[in-house]
Amino acid sequence: MGSRPARRFWSLVLAAAVGLIFSSQFTASATVAAPRSVGGSPLYTAHDASGRVTVTVFKNVSSDYREIWDNQEVTVGDDAMVAIGGGATAVEYPAGALLTASYPNDSRTGWIVSAKDHAIAQSYQLTTYVIGLKIAGMTRDELKNYLVYNSDGQAYGSTPSASSHLNSDTDVLLGGGFRTYWNGWGQLATGSYPSGPVEWTAGSKDHLHASPGTIQTWAIGIKRNLPVGWIDTYPSYPVPSGVSNHPSASARVQPGYVMTGGGGQVKCAGWGCALWSLEPSIDNSGYQSFTARAKDHAEAATGTTWAWTIGIRLV
């Protein structure tokens, strides 16, 4: 009969083959579906030390339950603001669902998110977040002209990773995002985080079943020199979690800065883990923070999650 690991290995190989044969049954519409837009409600508003830079985080919780959420768009609730960041929370238990996309829309009015269950059916409500930015002395259109959204980073594979970059001579990193493109069983997010002063990296993986796909990344920035002042940035050091099968980490923004974005990455041994939540928030002490949560899925694995934040102020 063979050992239990050997039987498990060959059962997974067979399942992967069946998945490829019948992949049309599992093809996500995320590659073709138009965004379904909803307005966000203010979660909190923060100002920098100058009082001239304002961010508001808007939140929406879906009214219905689904197993796969494709291209769910949450928009800023302030016409003077530009969308420069965001996040999402799927579900941790009982089986859980994982993130597959979190990126800006083309009009810069909102943030688009996708998530899915995987191998085990799980219906859940999706929570989406968008971070809006405005700067006193600049109209929305003027501010848009000083923002940069670079999405040229792409990679394909079973565990693809790609990076997008800004111009280090002129730009300041505000945050970033990612989107996976896949067929079959799907790609699950393992990271979306600042990997350098003007670089944003994202990664994903197939899980349990072979399902190579493409990941695309966004690096979102602002010109350092504005008509109303100069942008100073404070990216946090990566904050690690403890080793766990459901690792979670949070990073804070320094006082005097406003949080424009945040990120997370998970690394696990064995079958691996994936991200199920990238969440901006504020605590009772007024600290803005970004939390990254990950989990193993169907097969036990333990690892570490890291979280980042990026803050700016006008000087």
Side-chain angles (χ1 to χ4, degrees), residues 124-176:
Y124 57 98
Q125 291 174 289
L126 181 70
T127 301
T128 50
Y129 304 90
V130 59
I131 303 173
L133 170 71
K134 62 182 176 183
I135 299 177
M138 301 182 71
T139 67
R140 182 181 186 276
D141 287 341
E142 288 171 338
L143 180 57
K144 277 182 64 177
N145 290 333
Y146 284 86
L147 294 173
V148 183
Y149 298 76
N150 190 355
S151 59
D152 61 347
Q154 291 193 29
Y156 175 84
S158 292
T159 57
S161 176
S163 301
S164 291
H165 306 81
L166 305 175
N167 186 331
S168 60
D169 294 330
T170 59
D171 303 337
V172 169
L173 187 68
L174 297 178

Side-chain angles (χ1 to χ4, degrees), residues 70-81:
D70 294 337
N71 290 347
Q72 300 303 297
E73 179 183 72
V74 56
T75 57
V76 296
D78 185 335
D79 291 340
M81 286 188 155

Side-chain angles (χ1 to χ4, degrees), residues 28 30 68-71 88 90 97-103 112-118 124 178-182 185-190 203-205 214-216 275-276:
I68 296 177
W69 291 89
D70 294 337
N71 290 347
L98 299 313
L99 302 181
T100 61
S102 177
Y103 64 100
I112 300 174
V113 174
S114 298
K116 67 184 291 292
D117 60 2
H118 190 81
Y124 57 98
F178 72 96
R179 184 182 183 183
T180 61
Y181 300 84
W182 48 269
W185 290 92
Q187 287 277 316
L188 309 174
T190 57
S204 60
K205 67 185 292 288
T214 297
I215 193 162
Q216 180 180 9
L275 296 168
W276 66 272

Side-chain angles (χ1 to χ4, degrees), residues 24 38 56 74 78 80 141 145 196 215 226 251 266 271 303-304 306 310:
S24 61
V38 293
T56 300
V74 56
D78 185 335
D141 287 341
N145 290 333
I215 193 162
L226 304 179
V266 62
W271 288 97
T304 303
W306 291 264
I310 297 176

Side-chain angles (χ1 to χ4, degrees), residues 95 118-120 207-208 295-300:
H118 190 81
I120 305 170
H207 187 68
L208 304 179
K295 65 183 293 293
D296 57 8
H297 192 79
E299 294 286 351

Side-chain angles (χ1 to χ4, degrees), residues 59-75:
K59 173 183 177 180
N60 179 267
V61 180
S62 68
S63 59
D64 54 335
Y65 290 73
R66 301 182 189 178
E67 295 177 358
I68 296 177
W69 291 89
D70 294 337
N71 290 347
Q72 300 303 297
E73 179 183 72
V74 56
T75 57

